[in-house]
Amino acid sequence: MNRLQTAWLREQLQHGQEADLVRRRAIIACSLLGIASMSAATLFQTGIIKHLPDPPLPSFDADKVNSSHLAYRLGAPDGPLAVLDFAANLPLAAFGGIRRSPWIALLAGGKAGMDMLGGAYYFSLMPRKEKAWCLYCILATLAEAAVLALALPEMGRAFKTVSRTR
């Protein structure tokens, strides 16, 4: 990109008020919330901290949920994998100005959909398998749901654009 193109992109990303740009900023904010939530789980899962505080409500036991077999079954704890997953949303949301390639919007929306499926699956396991809730995991699932909801409008228009060109 030349200087003029980068200046135009910077102006759009920092000051544009189009609905898609506002939603993409919200995707970044929700992803950062997910990173913060799963960073706490990562600190626990890797032994940096020894306990995750829970809200004073029955059935909340973040230590149990984040120490379960399911949390380690991929060969690494799921916390740092979730941090990486949320981090991937940041460049996807920031890529391009208001008229970015529809393929980027499709990729971002498709990724958000897959993330939500995984998050919903893990969410369903907490009461069924662990018989406990994890506030950090719940926050991450809510962040995934928000990212998907925010990505859908642009993804839908991108799908129509790509379908028309075929």
Side-chain angles (χ1 to χ4, degrees), residues 9-26:
L9 177 60
R10 181 179 56 244
E11 178 64 26
Q12 281 197 349
L13 290 177
Q14 291 181 355
H15 304 291
Q17 293 303 312
E18 291 85 357
D20 284 340
L21 290 173
V22 172
R23 280 190 293 272
R24 286 164 51 194
R25 288 184 195 113

Side-chain angles (χ1 to χ4, degrees), residues 21-84:
L21 290 173
V22 172
R23 280 190 293 272
R24 286 164 51 194
R25 288 184 195 113
I27 287 170
I28 290 169
C30 290
S31 296
L32 291 171
L33 172 66
I35 288 170
S37 170
M38 289 293 93
S39 291
T42 297
L43 291 171
F44 174 75
Q45 289 176 328
T46 58
I48 296 169
I49 62 173
K50 301 301 179 196
H51 171 66
L52 285 169
D54 288 305
L57 298 169
S59 301
F60 274 82
D61 190 344
D63 292 351
K64 178 180 179 183
V65 171
N66 284 287
S67 293
S68 72
H69 162 74
L70 295 169
Y72 289 83
R73 71 182 172 156
L74 296 175
D78 60 1
L81 297 173
V83 167
L84 181 63

Side-chain angles (χ1 to χ4, degrees), residues 46-154:
T46 58
I48 296 169
I49 62 173
K50 301 301 179 196
H51 171 66
L52 285 169
D54 288 305
L57 298 169
S59 301
F60 274 82
D61 190 344
D63 292 351
K64 178 180 179 183
V65 171
N66 284 287
S67 293
S68 72
H69 162 74
L70 295 169
Y72 289 83
R73 71 182 172 156
L74 296 175
D78 60 1
L81 297 173
V83 167
L84 181 63
D85 198 36
F86 277 114
N89 293 337
L90 304 178
L92 284 172
F95 190 88
I98 189 60
R99 290 176 191 79
R100 68 184 183 164
S101 166
W103 294 106
I104 300 297
L106 289 171
L107 177 63
K111 179 193 174 302
M114 295 301 292
D115 292 347
M116 188 61 235
L117 286 174
Y121 173 71
Y122 271 102
F123 186 84
S124 74
L125 293 177
M126 282 189 279
R128 289 186 305 124
K129 297 282 186 187
E130 302 309 321
K131 309 282 191 260
W133 293 100
C134 166
L135 178 62
Y136 309 91
C137 306
I138 292 169
L139 288 173
T141 304
L142 291 173
E144 288 169 336
V147 167
L148 176 58
L150 291 161
L152 284 176
E154 186 182 16

